[in-house]
């Protein structure tokens, strides 16, 4: 039993590789050469859409200016208020986590005095929680910076 791919002949026709040539005469007519001495892996790119032209690339239309009416300002102010409240909450949580973490040496709890691995696991979880919370704070600050200035 022979695998068809193992015996397929691959031809190079310019920048195209193909194994869909039926005989040597067809390959010669198309100006193709037989590829020898190794495996060829061909990954096809996306096909152009029908009706698409290769004309000049147009710049996207300018974005519509942001509506500056009172309703929009109210929404922006409300978003800022919510984000600032979230930021305060996240910063308070960060301070609490850092205090509990105690520079990597938190107080041992219960069974942790006899099971050191459990203590190490809790310390690692605390460190990860601090990193996540720090990331949350940075994200909230980015969102606040994207909002228009408060008026």
């Amino acid at each position: 039993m022979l695998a068809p791919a193992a015996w397929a002949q691959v031809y190079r026709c310019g920048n195209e590789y193909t194994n869909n040539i039926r005989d040597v005469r067809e390959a010669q007519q198309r100006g193709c050469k037989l590829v020898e001495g190794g495996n060829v892996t061909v990954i096809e790119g996306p096909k152009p859409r029908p009706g698409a032209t290769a004309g000049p690339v147009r710049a996207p239309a300018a974005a519509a200016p942001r509506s500056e009416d009172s309703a929009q300002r109210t929404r922006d102010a409300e978003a800022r208020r919510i984000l600032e409240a979230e930021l305060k909450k996240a910063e308070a949580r960060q301070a609490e986590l850092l205090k509990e973490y105690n520079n990597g040496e938190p107080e041992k709890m219960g069974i942790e005095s006899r099971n050191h691995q459990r203590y190490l696991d809790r310390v690692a979880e605390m460190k990860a929680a601090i990193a996540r919370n720090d990331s949350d704070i940075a994200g909230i600050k980015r969102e606040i910076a994207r909002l228009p200035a408060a008026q």
Side-chain angles (χ1 to χ4, degrees), residues 66-79 148-149 151:
R66 185 176 190 144
S67 172
E68 289 300 326
D69 60 357
S70 64
Q72 182 64 47
R73 283 193 299 269
T74 303
R75 286 191 296 269
D76 290 343
E78 180 67 13
Q151 296 173 348

Side-chain angles (χ1 to χ4, degrees), residues 14-73:
N15 287 335
E16 176 187 1
Y17 290 87
T18 183
N19 61 352
N20 292 334
I21 296 181
R22 288 181 280 277
D23 60 10
V24 176
R25 282 191 308 249
E26 183 182 349
Q28 289 174 343
Q29 288 173 347
R30 291 179 55 188
C32 302
K33 299 191 187 262
L34 182 64
V35 176
E36 297 178 16
N39 296 330
V40 176
T41 302
V42 178
I43 301 171
E44 290 188 32
K47 303 259 188 231
R49 292 178 290 175
T53 61
V57 176
R58 294 184 193 152
R66 185 176 190 144
S67 172
E68 289 300 326
D69 60 357
S70 64
Q72 182 64 47
R73 283 193 299 269

Side-chain angles (χ1 to χ4, degrees), residues 42-116:
V42 178
I43 301 171
E44 290 188 32
K47 303 259 188 231
R49 292 178 290 175
T53 61
V57 176
R58 294 184 193 152
R66 185 176 190 144
S67 172
E68 289 300 326
D69 60 357
S70 64
Q72 182 64 47
R73 283 193 299 269
T74 303
R75 286 191 296 269
D76 290 343
E78 180 67 13
R80 179 176 294 280
R81 186 186 63 74
I82 291 170
L83 286 170
E84 285 174 349
E86 286 294 318
L87 180 60
K88 272 186 186 176
K89 200 183 321 179
E91 287 174 338
R93 175 80 175 130
Q94 186 76 346
E96 181 183 310
L97 287 170
L98 288 171
K99 182 180 176 188
E100 187 180 341
Y101 185 62
N102 192 23
N103 292 323
E105 296 182 8
E107 296 293 321
K108 291 190 177 186
M109 300 171 68
I111 195 168
E112 291 176 348
S113 61
R114 292 182 307 223
N115 187 344
H116 190 66

Side-chain angles (χ1 to χ4, degrees), residues 117-137:
Q117 185 59 47
R118 188 175 268 183
Y119 173 77
L120 294 176
D121 292 344
R122 185 169 65 91
V123 171
E125 287 174 17
M126 293 172 88
K127 188 174 182 180
I130 290 170
R132 275 192 308 273
N133 200 54
D134 195 37
S135 176
D136 291 346
I137 290 171

